[in-house]
Each structure stands twice: as structure tokens, then as C-alpha cells.
Amino acid sequence: MPPVKKRTRSYDSAKIRAAVLAQFGNVREAVAGLTAEQLALPTALGGWTVRELAAHLTLAVESVSRTIELSAQPSDQHPAQRPDQQPDRQPAPAPAPVLPLLDWPFATAGLAEDISRDVKVVAASASPDELFERTAERIAALLPETPDDRLLTTRLGVMRLGDFLVTRTVELTVHTDDLNRAVAGLDVPYDRQALAACTRLLADALAVKAPGASTEVRIPPYAVVQCVEGPRHTRGTPPNVVETDPLTWIRLATGRTTWREALDAAHVSASGERADLGELLPLMG
């Protein structure tokens, strides 16, 4: 995991919560209109069908509900004791460290096998409509009453709810793109706030992986970051500039496309001797 930390940008809680629910709703509506043949189509994700990808999207949001419920349970329960028994006064265990938001993209490596196993089980357990309905009901019941600072135990460690919700915008946005590419003409819309948060988190992750200020990466209209060691730019036009659109950036950052493919398709412009990001990408798989 990269050792250099950058200051984490702040995210508007109300906007992030609304974005997660809105993008989940966009996907739910689109999947509800798919035929059995379309649900059986392959995707680019390790042998998953569209049906299994849809199940994964419900799991990505269901993880919020599940971890909220688990965090609400008492963490230190003892069996009943007789009055003449003295309680076992063992020192309380040290609290688990909280995973910073900017560490999350790099911590996801190695989860693919476990996630794929869960997806296969869930996809076979119920129809997509049932999975989306159940997930929507649970998140609507639990999320409004849970504060952003609630600590949740996720697959990757303890995270603040507010930070975990930002990661859900990445899951939902990235896999919305996967769905759109798997089903011709589907065109699931992107919630603007979800797309923005996803773009910004992955851009900030690049600045963590390659700290510095010699290269400016522009992803209008959502993000600009400086990265890569070298002479620091102070004014005027930066000598090293990379510019791309949000979806191309997300595909680059998550390994859906390569640096060379994006350059050849003119989806990325890069100028300057330190503007080649090929060795730094992808950031997460």
C-alpha cells in the first residue's frame, strides 16, 4: 500500500447518500427491463453474466445495510454471572485501526475470488428484481438514521460510514459502465454526484500512488490533481499535462482499458516527458 498520504478531500454527506441511492435506482430500473436472454449475456468480469453483475451491484449496496446492522450489536457480551462471581477484568482489546478512504482503492486487491463466490451464490438465490427490492428496502430503513461517523467492519477493515458510502459510488459507477458495455443499447444513466465522487476518489488515489507535482491530471469537470515526482510547477501552463473524460479515467484506473488503448483512440491527451501514466495504471482491479 502506498506509504505517502495526501489530505483526503471532503465530500458532502447529503449528496453522497443521495448519489448512492440514485445510482442504485438507475441500475435497478434498467435491470428490471432486461430479458432472460440479456441477463444471460457475458460481461468482461471474469466469466460473470449480466445477471451475476446485477447481483454484485445489490451486494455492493447491501454491504452498507449489513455492516450498519452488525455495528449496532453489542461488541462485548458476557454470560450471566452469579452474585458471588467476580467479573473477569481483562483489559479491553485495542480498537481496530480505521481504514482511511484513500487507502481503500489499494486495499481491494485480492478480494476477487471471495467476491466472485458470493456473487454466484446470491445470483442463484433469487431473481434480480427480488434482490434489488430487498436491498432497496433495507438501505432505505437503515441509512437515514445512521450517522457518518459510525464505524463499520467491512471486508477490508473498519471504515467510517461516510467514507464507505463514497466507495459505494465507485462500485456503482464502475459497474454501471460494465453493464452498459455488456448490453447493447442499455444506456443506464449516471448520477452526476456519483460519477463525480468516483472520479475524484480515483484521481486522488493516483496522487497517493505517485506523489509529486510535476504532472497535472485533468478530468473535467470533476477533478484536477498533481502527481509524479519532478520539478514542481508553480505558474503558467504546466509542462506535463494529462487530460481525459471521467469514464475513460475510470476505465483506466480500474483496468477496463489500457493507457495505450486510450491514447490510440484519442480518449486521452498527454504532453510532456512525465505525462506517461502507463506504468502507474490501473490503480485497482
Side-chain angles (χ1 to χ4, degrees):
M1 190 175 296
V4 179
K5 297 293 187 288
K6 294 268 187 175
R7 175 187 290 180
T8 304
R9 76 171 74 226
S10 61
Y11 293 87
D12 184 290
S13 174
K15 289 181 179 179
I16 292 297
R17 288 168 178 250
V20 169
L21 297 178
Q23 192 58 39
F24 185 71
N26 290 344
V27 175
R28 179 185 183 183
E29 182 177 353
V31 170
L34 296 180
T35 64
E37 290 76 14
Q38 288 173 315
L39 288 170
L41 289 171
T43 71
L45 300 176
W48 288 1
T49 63
V50 169
R51 181 186 184 117
E52 288 162 343
L53 177 53
H56 176 63
L57 281 160
T58 66
L59 282 174
V61 175
E62 174 64 20
S63 64
V64 178
S65 305
R66 184 177 65 253
T67 52
I68 287 175
E69 286 182 332
L70 290 174
S71 73
Q73 295 177 0
S75 60
D76 188 22
Q77 295 180 338
H78 298 282
Q81 295 172 318
R82 298 196 309 270
D84 61 333
Q85 288 181 315
Q86 294 297 318
D88 184 7
R89 298 184 180 279
Q90 296 294 326
V98 176
L99 183 71
L101 177 57
L102 285 179
D103 283 358
W104 177 82
F106 309 106
T108 58
L111 291 181
E113 185 175 339
D114 289 345
I115 290 173
S116 185
R117 182 181 60 249
D118 292 348
V119 164
K120 300 283 186 180
V121 171
V122 170
S125 70
S127 70
D129 286 350
E130 291 172 320
L131 294 176
F132 276 96
E133 180 178 4
R134 184 168 65 208
T135 302
E137 288 177 352
R138 280 167 50 77
I139 194 74
L142 292 168
L143 187 59
E145 303 302 321
T146 310
D148 279 350
D149 60 0
R150 174 72 64 82
L151 296 181
L152 310 178
T153 301
T154 74
R155 284 180 183 266
L156 298 173
V158 177
M159 294 190 73
R160 292 178 59 256
L161 172 61
D163 290 343
F164 192 52
L165 288 172
V166 177
T167 73
R168 299 307 85 188
T169 69
V170 177
E171 292 279 356
L172 286 164
T173 302
V174 169
H175 292 309
T176 293
D177 183 43
D178 291 331
L179 274 176
N180 283 336
R181 290 191 293 151
V183 183
L186 187 58
D187 294 330
V188 183
Y190 297 90
D191 176 80
R192 180 179 175 84
Q193 292 298 331
L195 182 60
C198 176
T199 301
R200 289 165 181 159
L201 178 55
L202 294 176
D204 290 345
L206 174 66
V208 170
K209 186 173 184 178
S214 70
T215 301
E216 186 166 282
V217 179
R218 302 170 178 172
I219 313 162
Y222 300 129
V224 177
V225 295
Q226 293 187 342
C227 57
V228 182
E229 291 183 348
R232 184 180 182 84
H233 169 70
T234 56
R235 59 183 177 178
T237 302
N240 305 287
V241 177
V242 174
E243 185 164 336
T244 189
D245 63 276
L247 276 181
T248 297
W249 168 244
I250 290 166
R251 291 171 185 172
L252 285 166
T254 59
R256 267 64 177 176
T257 192
T258 67
W259 178 252
R260 177 48 54 189
E261 288 168 345
L263 284 175
D264 290 346
H267 292 156
V268 171
S269 63
S271 61
E273 62 181 14
R274 291 183 172 85
D276 187 344
L277 304 181
E279 295 300 316
L280 300 172
L281 299 169
L283 302 173
M284 58 184 296

